[in-house]
Amino acid sequence: MRLARARGRWYTWKKGGEDLDIFEGLNSAQREAVASTEGYIRVVAGAGSGKTRALARRFAYLVNDLGVTPGSILCVTFTNKSAAEMRQRIRALTGDSDTGHICTFHSFCVTVLQEDSHAVQYPKSFLVLDNADIDAMLARIYEERDLTLRHMTYSDARDMIEIRKGIEDPEYYLDMIDMDLETLHRKYLDAVSVRDIIFYGYLYEEKKCFGLDYNDLIFFTLYIFQQDREIRQKWQERLQYIMVDEFQDIDKPQYRLMRALCGYHRNLFIVGDPDQTIYTWRGASVKYLLDFDKEFSGTRTIMMMQNYRSTPEILAAANSLIAQNRNRMKKELTPTLPSGAPVVWMHCESPEDEAGRIAERIMALHDKGVPYRDMTLLYRAHYVTRTIEEVFIRLKLPYVIYSGVQFFSRAEVKDALSYLRLIAYRDDLSFMRVANVPRRNLGRRRMEFLREYAAKNACSLYDALCRCLDDELFRGTKARRLVSLVEELSAGCEGRSIAELLSDVLNRSGYEEYLRTEGSQERLDNLAELKQSVREYEETSGEECSLTHYLSHVALFSNSDADTGRDAVKLMTIHAAKGLEFPYVFLCCLNEGILPSKKTDSPEGMEEERRLAFVALTRAKRGLVLSDSEGRGHDGAPRYPSRFLLEIDRGLLVQDGRPRDSLVSEAREYISAHTARLSGASDAPQELFAPGDRVRHAAFGDGTVLEVDAARRVYVIKFDKTPTPRTLTLRVRLQRI
């Protein structure tokens, strides 16, 4: 019998009739993390240090030895993919399909709201909105208020809404909760600026269909915990142990949520790496990790610095780079693997040369037996890949871009899910998407009639159709068939599998036949894949397997959850690669203005760019190539090697093509001047003005602030002496008048 020892006691676990040593293969820091169950525990875990293994083993330790019920444990991850991986690991360790609450922040909030939504006067069947839903709402707002994409693109509008909810107007949710629908509608109609029209129009559209986006899930849950002591205490008592992964990426609302939840048992276990904080632009703050011991008295800190992922050569380069940051916890990753290939700096004459030489190295590795799928090309932003793609296509080199177009965003998949949502919720968004797909003669004129009827009678579009079936306008349409389909399937869905329901609705609606008529085999294959994913969900979800639970689950999927699985080189942004690892990594376009980004406007921002580069380097396991190129950028400015290349100890890099000394000197002069500008900008006063404020500009004179676009970091100001508004950076010197 195999035994494991922790805190002076010996323990055994059994799985499948065999003894399982929960501490086997763990180093001393990992063992300490697993065995430390009570109180506030902070684990500072460097890249590749095995934190996922430690988290999974700790969960298994709590369940298998201490006898804690899985439902009493909350383990929070930042992506659905990470949550799925964690559940798989824990099942293997415990032999139990019950894995408690292993989920993202948003998924956990869905669970809370589905149980306690009555506290905010919302039904349990509220909608979880995705980008397609939001865009549909925006389309209605734009049409009603005569806005065009010239005023603001949908993408910019979504960003504006997120920033306004999370940063500028964090109590927005009170309007959604406290205001009745008519009052909120009036606030929308009275709005004047484009930002206010879109924002309050969106809040109105959300409330009208009981829809909640990702921000709402967090804020609504916090509101319930603040206002209802009994509900808060119920969840506090239920969750005896709370674990949070990637704590360096936590934002203020998420921090408040975790603080509230651990208020009874006072068991909070966090894992993070301050050197991998790369999401400050969306509200994340590393201070919650760095100051954790100040906020939670008696915190025990465990350092996990042994790296099991990368070769010593790769780690040395990464350590050398990140050491340049001043605002960080001093630490260094320690390698455990044997020496490997040196890190290469490949300097190229042009972007075309860079793309060609990357392709040559990839094909050379492939000729040595390395699969294409083991090679990944990372970059700061998607726009830099055009030349690389052209070369790859010409050479017939297989690749896949992780660009955010995911399985659940494909048109046919959205259509199928909208049918399910229509059965469950009768909501307007789903109705508008599938009412005339396949064609039922419910075109623009009839849909406009339904919208007017619904507005006049305060009902949904689906209810409007039900009431108007006998109207002459709808004779000769297939509207009655649609209503019969929805009502019959809705009445009979209780106790029926979701997979069966999906197959039935796709068949009886004529949707699959419609795709066959079009000859779209690819789209039919996607529907087959959807059916398979539903079956897998039902097999692994346990007792909670209702249609509404499934729809909430699907709505929470992130872009990173998609994976083609074919043998192809992966192309992705560094942000998309966070939390992943790859045998061979090519980090391209390491030029000033690209990485670091030209948008970097403060010393703090530059440190985040350096952390981003650090994350990229530490994704590599066996091989790492860093590349830059000469030439000129889109603005005509010369392309200089990134300061991050110049900051790495030259002895740690093998040169493939050496930049001429004059170019390096010019680059250092540019970097020095840019650093001075950043320091100056950080010292400048940063009073933020609001729409309606009167201001004075040194050249333009007096004017009125019309808009503040935090996403683009600009003001729109109409000056008294200029015929048209001016768009100016938020750093502009203005005087309040």
Side-chain angles (χ1 to χ4, degrees):
M1 181 176 288
R2 289 155 49 189
L3 301 175
R5 188 171 187 179
R7 290 186 168 182
R9 298 172 59 195
W10 293 91
Y11 304 107
T12 55
W13 290 264
K14 289 183 178 289
K15 181 195 173 214
E18 297 180 1
D19 295 328
L20 176 65
D21 183 353
I22 211 74
F23 292 93
E24 184 178 5
L26 302 183
N27 62 38
S28 59
Q30 292 170 333
R31 289 193 197 99
E32 185 181 358
V34 170
S36 301
T37 61
E38 307 306 306
Y40 302 116
I41 314 295
R42 173 176 62 180
V43 178
V44 180
S49 61
K51 64 180 179 64
T52 304
R53 173 191 285 190
L55 279 165
R57 297 286 185 96
R58 186 176 191 268
F59 192 109
Y61 175 69
L62 287 167
V63 173
N64 289 357
D65 185 75
L66 302 190
V68 177
T69 58
S72 301
I73 305 172
L74 171 63
C75 182
V76 181
T77 67
F78 270 79
T79 66
N80 290 295
K81 187 172 183 178
S82 299
E85 182 185 350
M86 186 71 69
R87 282 192 290 269
Q88 186 178 358
R89 290 191 183 216
I90 288 169
R91 286 194 191 103
L93 290 167
T94 64
D96 192 344
S97 60
D98 186 358
T99 53
H101 303 283
I102 302 175
C103 53
T104 64
F105 279 104
H106 300 102
S107 185
F108 173 73
C109 289
V110 167
T111 300
V112 174
L113 291 170
Q114 285 178 334
E115 187 169 320
D116 296 308
S117 60
H118 62 274
V120 287
Q121 297 82 52
Y122 268 56
K124 293 185 183 296
S125 58
F126 63 88
L127 293 176
V128 180
L129 305 173
D130 60 16
N131 281 348
D133 298 326
I134 296 170
D135 286 351
M137 291 176 171
L138 291 173
R140 292 175 65 170
I141 296 165
Y142 279 44
E143 184 179 353
E144 286 179 357
R145 299 298 300 270
D146 293 325
L147 300 180
T148 71
L149 296 180
R150 290 186 177 181
H151 290 97
M152 192 179 296
T153 66
Y154 286 179
S155 177
D156 287 342
R158 290 196 303 270
D159 289 344
M160 181 273 292
I161 291 168
E162 183 171 357
I163 291 170
R164 191 151 175 177
K165 284 185 173 183
I167 300 172
E168 296 178 6
D169 191 9
E171 294 189 344
Y172 76 91
Y173 59 91
L174 296 176
D175 286 350
M176 296 177 68
I177 296 171
D178 296 339
M179 285 186 185
D180 59 52
L181 191 60
E182 186 178 342
T183 304
L184 186 56
H185 190 214
R186 177 51 53 191
K187 193 168 185 176
Y188 157 53
L189 294 177
D190 290 343
V192 176
S193 72
V194 171
R195 295 178 86 250
D196 283 351
I197 290 171
I198 294 172
F199 185 65
Y200 290 112
Y202 176 66
L203 296 188
Y204 167 69
E205 291 289 337
E206 278 192 292
K207 186 170 179 98
K208 190 167 66 169
C209 69
F210 294 114
L212 299 175
D213 62 23
Y214 280 19
N215 288 292
D216 304 329
L217 295 173
I218 299 281
F219 283 110
F220 273 50
T221 303
L222 279 171
Y223 176 85
I224 291 174
F225 287 168
Q226 289 167 350
Q227 299 297 317
D228 197 311
R229 183 173 175 272
E230 288 187 8
I231 293 177
R232 181 177 72 248
Q233 189 166 340
K234 174 187 68 176
W235 285 98
Q236 287 177 333
E237 292 180 5
R238 183 182 299 178
L239 301 172
Q240 300 177 44
Y241 296 91
I242 299 171
M243 299 188 284
V244 185
D245 194 11
E246 305 287 2
F247 202 78
Q248 77 279 349
D249 293 330
I250 204 167
D251 61 24
K252 186 175 181 179
Q254 293 164 346
Y255 177 77
R256 288 171 56 202
L257 184 62
M258 290 300 98
R259 194 175 179 93
L261 287 170
C262 73
Y264 182 73
H265 295 288
R266 303 184 185 280
N267 291 324
L268 179 58
F269 179 93
I270 67 164
V271 183
D273 180 7
D275 287 335
Q276 296 189 65
T277 306
I278 60 174
Y279 292 112
T280 60
W281 50 273
R282 70 180 188 195
S285 176
V286 72
K287 72 176 183 180
Y288 299 122
L289 176 61
L290 296 176
D291 297 339
F292 188 82
D293 57 333
K294 299 174 185 174
E295 294 293 323
F296 296 92
S297 179
T299 293
R300 180 190 307 177
T301 298
I302 301 169
M303 304 292 290
M304 287 173 46
M305 291 296 112
Q306 286 183 266
N307 178 283
Y308 296 90
R309 175 187 298 159
S310 307
T311 63
E313 289 79 3
I314 294 170
L315 288 185
N319 284 330
S320 177
L321 173 64
I322 200 62
Q324 305 301 315
N325 272 5
R326 296 181 179 180
N327 184 31
R328 65 184 292 263
M329 181 183 290
K330 300 295 182 185
K331 57 186 180 61
E332 192 165 287
L333 293 171
T334 304
T336 60
L337 299 181
S339 290
V343 177
V344 176
W345 174 7
M346 188 168 69
H347 178 75
C348 307
E349 295 180 359
S350 65
E352 293 76 15
D353 180 42
E354 184 178 8
R357 288 167 66 183
I358 289 172
E360 287 174 4
R361 283 182 171 270
I362 288 173
M363 291 186 294
L365 282 170
H366 189 256
D367 289 343
K368 293 178 181 178
V370 178
Y372 287 124
R373 70 171 65 90
D374 284 355
M375 292 177 271
T376 302
L377 183 68
L378 300 181
Y379 40 82
R380 179 64 174 85
H382 281 297
Y383 72 87
V384 305
T385 67
R386 180 186 60 83
T387 305
I388 293 168
E389 287 187 72
E390 289 176 354
V391 170
F392 281 21
I393 292 170
R394 188 175 71 247
L395 297 175
K396 294 183 171 56
L397 205 160
Y399 71 96
V400 58
I401 294 184
Y402 288 68
S403 60
V405 179
Q406 63 188 104
F407 174 76
F408 288 96
S409 293
R410 295 170 189 171
E412 59 277 9
V413 175
K414 292 291 296 184
D415 289 343
L417 294 175
S418 291
Y419 270 112
L420 290 180
R421 284 185 18 168
L422 189 60
I423 293 168
Y425 305 127
R426 314 291 205 279
D427 66 290
D428 287 357
L429 294 172
S430 301
F431 179 84
M432 287 188 294
R433 184 173 184 97
V434 300
N436 206 39
V437 182
R439 294 191 181 280
R440 299 185 175 92
N441 205 18
L442 295 173
R444 187 170 181 176
R445 181 168 66 94
R446 291 183 173 90
M447 293 299 286
E448 184 61 34
F449 174 88
L450 291 177
R451 277 195 287 269
E452 290 177 3
Y453 184 96
K456 188 180 295 183
N457 294 274
C459 65
S460 69
L461 294 175
Y462 177 83
D463 286 337
L465 180 63
C466 293
R467 299 177 191 182
C468 298
L469 285 176
D470 294 326
D471 192 290
E472 186 162 344
L473 184 65
F474 293 94
R475 293 176 186 173
T477 71
K478 297 179 181 178
R480 194 174 295 276
R481 290 188 196 176
L482 175 63
V483 171
S484 297
L485 174 69
V486 172
E487 294 300 318
E488 289 175 21
L489 292 180
S490 179
C493 73
E494 185 105 8
R496 202 177 173 195
S497 83
I498 305 165
E500 287 178 6
L501 185 65
L502 176 61
S503 293
D504 207 355
V505 73
L506 292 177
N507 178 39
R508 292 178 57 184
S509 67
Y511 189 78
E512 280 189 313
E513 184 60 34
Y514 156 70
L515 293 185
R516 289 191 191 95
T517 304
E518 283 193 338
S520 182
Q521 187 57 48
E522 184 179 351
R523 298 180 71 187
L524 287 167
D525 290 343
N526 286 335
L527 288 184
E529 191 177 345
L530 175 64
K531 292 175 186 177
Q532 179 60 31
S533 75
V534 172
R535 285 191 286 271
E536 290 174 358
Y537 170 80
E538 290 185 293
E539 289 170 1
T540 59
S541 64
E543 295 181 2
E544 297 266 317
C545 202
S546 68
L547 177 58
T548 55
H549 277 92
Y550 171 72
L551 292 171
S552 297
H553 163 80
V554 168
L556 290 167
F557 270 100
S558 63
N559 294 339
S560 60
D561 295 326
D563 191 345
T564 65
R566 68 189 180 98
D567 190 26
V569 180
K570 299 180 180 72
L571 274 64
M572 66 178 73
T573 64
I574 304 170
H575 284 98
K578 177 75 163 26
L580 305 177
E581 58 183 36
F582 315 100
Y584 297 90
V585 168
F586 296 81
L587 178 57
C588 70
C589 302
L590 271 165
N591 288 94
E592 287 291 308
I594 300 177
L595 182 61
S597 168
K598 63 181 178 182
K599 296 179 181 179
T600 307
D601 58 2
S602 68
E604 296 77 20
M606 186 58 69
E607 292 213 342
E608 176 147 351
E609 290 292 295
R610 191 173 287 107
R611 291 194 295 269
L612 189 62
F614 173 79
V615 167
L617 267 60
T618 54
R619 299 311 93 194
K621 298 168 67 176
R622 297 200 295 272
L624 176 63
V625 176
L626 314 174
S627 64
D628 77 302
S629 64
E630 297 184 35
R632 294 193 175 272
H634 296 301
D635 57 358
R639 295 168 67 109
Y640 295 122
S642 169
R643 67 191 69 197
F644 303 148
L645 284 169
L646 302 177
E647 288 171 354
I648 298 173
D649 188 330
R650 191 61 65 91
L652 302 175
L653 302 175
V654 170
Q655 205 81 45
D656 180 7
R658 184 176 294 276
R660 63 187 187 279
D661 291 342
S662 60
L663 180 66
V664 173
S665 296
E666 289 175 23
R668 293 191 185 280
E669 289 177 8
Y670 168 82
I671 293 166
S672 178
H674 184 258
T675 301
R677 284 200 304 275
L678 291 184
S679 298
S682 69
D683 296 334
Q686 294 292 316
E687 181 185 9
L688 195 64
F689 297 96
D693 286 348
R694 292 285 291 171
V695 295
R696 181 168 294 156
H697 186 277
F700 296 126
D702 297 348
T704 303
V705 178
L706 301 181
E707 295 182 33
V708 184
D709 191 333
R712 294 191 297 151
R713 300 184 62 79
V714 296
Y715 293 115
V716 179
I717 303 174
K718 174 61 177 68
F719 292 101
D720 300 344
K721 296 179 180 179
T722 61
T724 56
R726 296 290 184 265
T727 301
L728 306 175
T729 175
L730 293 184
R731 289 185 293 149
V732 65
R733 292 187 178 274
L734 298 171
Q735 179 184 346
R736 187 184 298 276
I737 57 174

